[in-house]
Amino acid sequence: MLVAAVAGVVERVNKLVSVRPYNARYGGEVGDVVVCRVVDVGAKRWKVDVNARQKGVLLLSSINLPGGEQRRRTAEDQLNMRQFYVEHDVLSAEVQTFFADGAMSLHTRSLKYGKLGCGTLVTVAPSLVRRAKQHFHTFDFGVATIFGMNGFIWVGIATALSPKADAMDVGSTRDGGIGEEAQESDASFHVRERTCRVCNAIVLLDRFFMPVAAAPVHALYEKSIEAGMSPWDMLLPENAILLADGLRASGVLGVRVADE
């Protein structure tokens, strides 16, 4: 019988079994979708918080220029870097490569990446975020999410409220992303209530060390409504335990990532 020295998520690769600690910092892999926050604007680069041991780096050459223009970056672009991103901006990006010192190099050269707005950033343990084919998910009740592999989850307002809304249709910004141009009129009480309910569902998954993915979040959302709970009641201890037990009994946590 094998006993791990730490509590965490069991990972199996053929006959190799390892445990990824719950409280471990995000390590990162090339191709990972991440949500990050700008902490510094430097020369030809932005430093971003990716919930890792070191700050990530977003190079000026790794972003889309306005209108998708393809050309070499000039000194004028460098002087106008703050027109793209400034400190405390929240972005969605992809891990492109790693520098020699281990720092991540990110890029936003896609319409689905870029600055985020009209939403909430929820932090969970990175080890709980499931790797999926699609980390951008729009629920049929009008809330869009980005499940960053680094444990930063973005919950925002979907501008297209169709049940078949695709992540690529969720708002547009100067460099892609979701929700920045959503009008305040769209953020009605009911939309904000649904957004809050999704945020609290993610917090519950993190609190009970359950996998964070679209299927469990949607299941908790529905169960809270069936139980007649308001979003602000979901995190009460007795209600949280009731929802967590119901989720475990439903079998949703056993759904494979490919089936989500």
Side-chain angles (χ1 to χ4, degrees):
M1 178 179 177
L2 299 177
V3 179
V6 296
V9 178
V10 178
E11 296 181 338
R12 294 181 175 86
V13 179
N14 296 327
K15 293 184 179 180
L16 175 64
V17 181
S18 59
V19 176
R20 185 155 42 107
Y22 285 125
N23 58 353
R25 282 281 189 172
Y26 173 63
E29 294 182 15
V30 174
D32 280 356
V33 174
V34 298
V35 176
C36 53
R37 186 188 298 274
V38 177
V39 295
D40 184 50
V41 181
K44 298 183 181 180
R45 65 183 60 195
W46 293 267
K47 285 189 177 181
V48 295
D49 179 14
V50 289
N51 199 25
R53 295 180 180 87
Q54 302 181 63
K55 304 300 182 186
V57 175
L58 177 62
L59 298 174
L60 178 60
S61 59
S62 298
I63 70 169
N64 275 341
L65 293 175
E69 185 178 0
Q70 299 294 327
R71 60 173 173 78
R72 298 177 69 91
R73 275 46 170 180
T74 63
E76 184 179 355
D77 294 322
Q78 184 176 350
L79 292 174
N80 295 328
M81 284 178 58
R82 289 184 177 275
Q83 294 184 7
F84 298 102
Y85 307 124
V86 297
E87 290 86 348
H88 308 299
D89 278 351
V90 180
L91 319 173
S92 61
E94 181 178 315
V95 179
Q96 183 177 28
T97 185
F98 289 85
F99 294 109
D101 61 355
M104 298 179 201
S105 177
L106 310 178
H107 80 86
T108 60
R109 289 194 297 264
S110 174
L111 292 178
K112 63 182 179 180
Y113 300 132
K115 185 176 178 180
L116 304 173
C118 280
T120 303
L121 184 65
V122 183
T123 303
V124 303
S127 58
L128 297 178
V129 182
R130 282 183 170 180
R131 190 176 301 279
K133 293 181 179 178
Q134 181 58 263
H135 286 263
F136 293 76
H137 187 82
T138 302
F139 295 101
D140 55 7
F141 43 80
V143 175
T145 53
I146 302 177
F147 294 93
M149 287 299 299
N150 58 332
F152 289 166
I153 314 297
W154 183 259
V155 183
I157 301 170
T159 56
L161 301 182
S162 168
K164 296 183 179 180
D166 186 81
M168 294 296 291
D169 299 327
V170 184
S172 60
T173 68
R174 289 171 294 179
D175 193 27
I178 66 172
E180 186 186 18
E181 294 183 356
Q183 300 297 323
E184 291 186 4
S185 59
D186 294 333
S188 65
F189 172 78
H190 297 292
V191 174
R192 295 196 300 270
E193 185 181 40
R194 290 193 288 267
T195 302
C196 182
R197 194 180 295 273
V198 171
C199 290
N200 287 346
I202 295 172
V203 171
L204 280 178
L205 292 174
D206 177 66
R207 180 179 297 180
F208 289 94
F209 303 104
M210 297 179 179
V212 178
V217 170
H218 191 273
L220 280 177
Y221 181 96
E222 296 294 340
K223 288 184 179 299
S224 66
I225 294 178
E226 292 174 1
M229 299 180 191
S230 61
W232 42 88
D233 288 335
M234 292 174 62
L235 299 182
L236 294 177
E238 59 276 13
N239 292 339
I241 294 174
L242 179 65
L243 291 173
D245 290 343
L247 183 62
R248 293 190 185 98
S250 67
V252 173
L253 298 178
V255 177
R256 297 178 58 184
V257 174
D259 296 332
E260 293 178 0

